[in-house]
């Protein structure tokens, strides 16, 4: 246990904000609130200003520089008015900022070295009455403020860093991991970082169901369900993938068996170069296939829109290859300057013939139709009878993986932007050792791919 | 219809025995019966002599030279006595004959150019009281004698020739087709050859159930069920494979659409030579694998014992290959001077790695065991997490089809004799173009294989 204590102390040493950092943040946040209140005063509207998020709750990890300021308007205000007033206040507070759009517009900008979101919302009576998702946020802060002791806040920081270290932190659609709010809820619910580790390691049997306020009012089909204490109809963990739940369970067990700082701060991977990628493929005896997109319309999408499309397209590619007889060992999708779908196949080439099973001979017209279609086709072997069915061996539509990617990609289910790029032939295919060329951009991803961690 | 009538007349011209053939057979059969009766008279035992089979019922196809003579003893006779008397009579009648063994011994031999079986059986009151399968045979002849007009007997000959032509005649375990008795029952039941064709073409929906005497006293799980009119517990068609039922349906439809003598007397296939086999494989882009056995213990087995073992072994080989990741397009087994199992595979070689899915990470001990087994194995990629499960990519046990046949054949389900041959390494493996060498022995089988008919 001393070992665990030592490791956690060392982690806290790295993740707890310094006193100077706290002080500076408090001062900056106070100035922001004041500027917002001044801006409201200039308008003939009733509103108050609240801080939300981890820097409001003291659960931020050293070095985080996000300050979230919400301006709450009365629910009687028209939405168009709320947006107009909200942007007005935002632009007043953050004159260098720019507008972004979630459910409604808000202003994002830098202020004294901090990244600030200035978000308008409605001041509803309870989280059940919200008009948009952001209205819920102040309730989260209220709920947690009442429960987070200094010790629990410190454990939240440790837990967040653990999730970052294992690659499971963040509710963005690339990561599909644990949000900050979810991390805080888990620490509060179990009573500390080590208690979360113990539960994840030993007790969790997905689907895991937690309901701190015992008020669930909906059912969810997710591997992890944590009912929002401020909203009985919401699963705070809805975005968390099965893999990330398993990942937390795995590393929680590892940590409890052998506590090490390295789980919190893993060594970054050295990128592989093209030669190394080709060497690894040769060792494995597999055949790689990659499809690469280099188009602004796709790459300009925010990650939360781009990754779901890339994943959907990867699934389509894998299913398409498998439907055409190519066994896929593994696939992945990466995006940086360009976006790629990468698959590793068992074989590069399939025979010229494929087996095609027809109907049972007994099903009169259907059987006669099948027989008639193939009986006089000199390209076809058969029809012959296997069991009680007609079978033919006919020419395979595509015999190489490259050919599939070049000719059949449009026939699989793809994300929307990718579908139109494929439609126009606006993509490049890399097959076999050619895939090595992608290492220039995705060397770290290849390193992860060939030596994957849980 | 005239066309059909013409074709059938032409077929009858070729299958009806000539008057001279009938006369000669009648005389020979009479002499055989007389000799058998004389032999019985020398023994102090009560018995009578009956002729059975197609030559007794006038349903043989021209050129058939089988005469079956049964000696019926009283059921009170001990089995050992029956066997002794039976062989005594058999050896008296067929002094040049030899003993064979079905359920009990009988004598087989040539007599005046005919192949004669002289079989002892019990003279029971009904087919339900039989002590062994041969006791039933005289009842079949009695049943059919009462129903076969000359016209129906002629139609039986036509139907038998049709079944021969399409490769579905014979209840032996190589063919798994229609026996002579079954052919006769179908013609009698439907009232003629064309009526059988019509039923098979249009009405049959396997499982097909026929019960001429409407007395079935058991249920059967076969594609064609024809309850024996002399035994309510027996399916006369039990041995008929689903493929042969489908084959009859297929060719019945063909014949009705386009009546041709060729269905009855197909052209024999020209054998392929080694070069042709290699060429066909190259065209198809497939990889052949054959296992050849050249051992007297296997090849000395009668076909009814050998073929089930060969088929079972082929199934085992195919399943084994598929379990090791090799897709099998088609397989077959042939036997002549040697015996072979032949498979045609999509690929010759698989990658060095294979995916191995472990348990869900959540299932504590099992998951920990899997992780522990592979975590420090430098030969293994992973464990990583996919969905909620551990996955590793580990070295594939066999990467080529040849290696499978050489190293893993003993691990699959094989027929008994083949299992011991494989155990001792007493077999040869042919892979890829090498398989061409088997054309010297199996040239016709290869011709059928590469251009299969229904």
């Amino acid at each position: 246990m001393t070992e665990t204590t030592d490791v956690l102390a060392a982690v806290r040493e790295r993740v707890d904000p310094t006193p100077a950092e706290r002080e500076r943040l408090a001062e900056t946040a106070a100035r922001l609130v004041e500027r917002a209140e001044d801006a409201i005063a200039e308008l003939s509207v009733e509103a108050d200003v609240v801080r939300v998020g981890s820097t409001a709750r003291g659960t931020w990890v050293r070095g985080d520089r996000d300050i979230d300021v919400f301006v709450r308007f009365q629910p009687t205000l028209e939405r168009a008015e709320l947006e107009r007033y909200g942007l007005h206040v935002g632009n007043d507070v953050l004159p260098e900022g720019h507008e972004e759009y979630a459910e409604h517009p808000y202003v994002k900008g830098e202020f004294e070295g901090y990244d600030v979101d200035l978000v308008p919302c409605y001041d509803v009576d309870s989280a059940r009455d919200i008009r948009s998702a952001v209205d819920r946020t102040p309730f989260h802060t209220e709920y947690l403020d009442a429960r987070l002791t200094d010790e629990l806040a410190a454990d939240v920081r440790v837990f967040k860093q653990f999730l970052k270290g294992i690659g499971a932190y963040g509710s963005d659609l690339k990561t599909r991991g644990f949000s900050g709010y979810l991390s805080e809820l888990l620490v509060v619910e179990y009573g500390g970082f080590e208690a979360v580790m113990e539960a994840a390691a030993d007790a969790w049997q997905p689907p895991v169901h937690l309901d701190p306020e015992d008020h669930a009012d909906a059912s969810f089909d997710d591997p992890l369900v944590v009912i929002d204490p401020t909203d009985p109809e919401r699963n705070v963990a809805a975005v968390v993938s099965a893999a990330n739940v398993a990942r937390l369970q795995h590393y929680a067990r590892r940590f409890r068996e052998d506590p090490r700082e390295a789980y919190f701060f893993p060594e970054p991977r050295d990128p592989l170069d093209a030669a190394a990628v080709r060497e690894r493929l040769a060792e494995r005896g597999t055949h790689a296939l990659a499809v690469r997109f280099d188009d602004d319309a796709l790459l300009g999408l925010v990650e939360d829109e781009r990754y779901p499309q890339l994943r959907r397209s990867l699934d389509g590619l894998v299913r398409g290859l498998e439907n055409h007889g190519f066994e896929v060992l593994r696939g992945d999708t990466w995006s940086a300057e360009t976006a790629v779908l990468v698959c590793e196949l068992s074989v590069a080439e399939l025979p010229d013939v494929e087996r095609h099973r027809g109907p049972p001979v007994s099903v009169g017209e259907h059987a006669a139709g099948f027989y008639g279609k193939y009986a006089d086709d000199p390209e076809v072997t058969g029809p012959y009878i296997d069991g009680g069915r007609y079978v033919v061996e006919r020419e395979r539509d595509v015999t190489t993986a490259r050919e599939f990617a070049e000719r059949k990609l449009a026939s699989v289910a793809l994300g929307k932007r990718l579908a139109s790029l494929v439609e126009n032939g606006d993509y490049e295919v890399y097959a076999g050792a050619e895939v090595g060329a992608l290492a220039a951009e995705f060397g770290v991803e290849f390193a992860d791919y060939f030596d994957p961690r849980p």
Side-chain angles (χ1 to χ4, degrees), chain A:
Chain A
M1 238 10 197
T2 320
E3 210 183 344
T4 304
T5 312
D6 289 350
V7 168
L8 294 181
V11 171
R12 284 188 58 165
E13 195 61 41
R14 294 170 76 172
V15 300
D16 283 345
T18 61
E21 184 181 355
R22 284 179 192 277
E23 197 176 332
R24 232 201 106 214
L25 185 123
E27 286 165 12
T28 302
R31 271 193 290 279
L32 277 166
V33 170
E34 199 184 320
R35 284 169 71 100
E37 283 167 348
D38 289 350
I40 293 164
E42 287 171 18
L43 303 167
S44 56
V45 64
E46 196 179 332
D48 69 346
V49 179
V50 288
R51 284 182 50 214
V52 300
S54 62
T55 49
R57 302 195 286 262
T59 54
W60 82 94
V61 168
R62 185 188 304 173
D64 282 356
R65 313 190 62 77
D66 295 315
I67 301 180
D68 300 314
V69 176
F70 276 40
V71 180
R72 286 194 296 198
F73 296 91
Q74 289 305 303
T76 46
L77 197 67
E78 293 287 335
R79 175 174 273 246
E81 294 294 282
L82 173 133
E83 294 185 3
R84 195 166 59 82
Y85 290 138
L87 289 176
H88 180 89
V89 174
N91 289 321
D92 252 25
V93 175
L94 302 165
E96 316 277 292
H98 62 278
E99 292 173 21
E100 294 221 348
Y101 200 93
E103 279 188 68
H104 50 65
Y106 65 99
V107 176
K108 202 177 181 73
E110 212 185 280
F111 184 81
E112 298 179 3
Y114 290 87
D115 295 323
V116 180
D117 283 0
L118 211 147
V119 181
C121 70
Y122 282 111
D123 188 5
V124 293
D125 286 338
S126 96
R128 299 198 79 160
D129 303 324
I130 60 166
R131 307 249 194 116
S132 83
V134 290
D135 300 345
R136 198 189 282 118
T137 311
F139 292 96
H140 294 166
T141 294
E142 194 178 298
Y143 180 84
L144 289 169
D145 267 348
R147 288 161 180 82
L148 278 168
T149 60
D150 285 353
E151 196 49 43
L152 285 177
D155 271 17
V156 167
R157 289 190 289 271
V158 169
F159 184 41
K160 283 181 176 178
Q161 188 60 44
F162 186 76
L163 291 166
K164 286 180 184 181
I166 69 173
Y169 186 71
S171 59
D172 59 280
L173 297 184
K174 179 182 178 189
T175 310
R176 294 187 293 186
F178 294 74
S179 67
Y181 177 51
L182 174 58
S183 312
E184 294 172 72
L185 283 180
L186 289 172
V187 169
V188 166
E189 174 67 7
Y190 286 110
F193 171 74
E194 288 185 74
V196 173
M197 291 291 104
E198 186 181 342
D202 296 340
W204 283 12
Q205 291 295 339
V208 174
H209 196 273
L210 297 174
D211 186 2
E213 291 301 299
D214 199 16
H215 67 171
D217 198 14
S219 68
F220 300 93
D221 186 25
D222 300 309
L224 176 61
V225 178
V226 180
I227 302 297
D228 193 336
T230 74
D231 184 346
E233 292 178 9
R234 178 172 178 254
N235 173 19
V236 179
V239 81
V240 183
S241 67
N244 276 327
V245 175
R247 192 160 282 126
L248 175 59
Q249 295 198 265
H250 169 80
Y251 282 104
R253 280 188 209 132
R254 302 276 84 217
F255 175 76
R256 284 164 55 79
E257 272 178 34
D258 176 21
R260 283 197 285 132
E261 226 178 311
Y263 296 125
F264 298 82
F265 303 100
E267 289 295 314
R269 279 277 162 80
D270 289 330
L272 296 188
D273 63 13
V277 168
R278 289 194 293 265
E279 193 182 318
R280 296 303 300 268
L281 287 171
E283 278 166 20
R284 291 161 66 84
T286 52
H287 183 76
L289 176 73
V291 181
R292 184 161 173 262
F293 299 90
D294 183 7
D295 179 89
D296 290 340
L298 174 65
L299 297 160
L301 292 177
V302 297
E303 286 197 339
D304 271 4
E305 293 184 39
R306 200 185 332 138
Y307 271 91
Q309 289 203 29
L310 289 171
R311 278 209 199 89
R312 176 149 194 245
S313 304
L314 178 67
D315 288 349
L317 173 62
V318 169
R319 261 199 305 274
L321 284 165
E322 290 184 335
N323 289 342
H324 281 74
F326 294 93
E327 188 188 79
V328 178
L329 193 68
R330 190 141 52 102
D332 211 343
T333 176
W334 310 320
S335 173
E337 300 300 305
T338 67
V340 289
L341 312 176
V342 184
C343 289
E344 200 182 5
L345 313 178
S346 291
V347 294
E349 190 169 1
L350 289 172
D352 297 285
V353 289
E354 69 175 357
R355 185 184 170 90
H356 176 53
R357 204 170 79 135
V361 173
S362 55
V363 297
E365 274 187 40
H366 188 195
F370 184 90
Y371 179 77
K373 178 174 175 189
Y374 291 110
D376 297 321
D377 185 341
E379 300 292 306
V380 156
T381 299
Y384 60 88
I385 291 172
D386 186 12
R389 286 176 177 270
Y390 286 122
V391 176
V392 293
E393 287 153 13
R394 62 184 182 186
E395 208 177 339
R396 189 181 287 276
D397 193 10
V398 290
T399 60
T400 67
R402 176 194 296 280
E403 207 183 338
F404 179 84
E406 285 174 350
R407 284 183 36 220
K408 293 288 163 182
L409 203 51
S411 70
V412 309
L414 296 167
K416 197 170 167 235
R417 292 272 165 107
L418 288 93
S420 70
L421 295 175
V422 167
E423 189 73 30
N424 298 326
D426 208 358
Y427 64 100
E428 285 171 280
V429 175
Y430 297 73
E434 292 169 8
V435 169
L438 301 175
E441 184 176 353
F442 299 107
V444 170
E445 285 80 356
F446 274 117
D448 271 333
Y449 181 88
F450 286 118
D451 190 15
R453 293 189 264 233

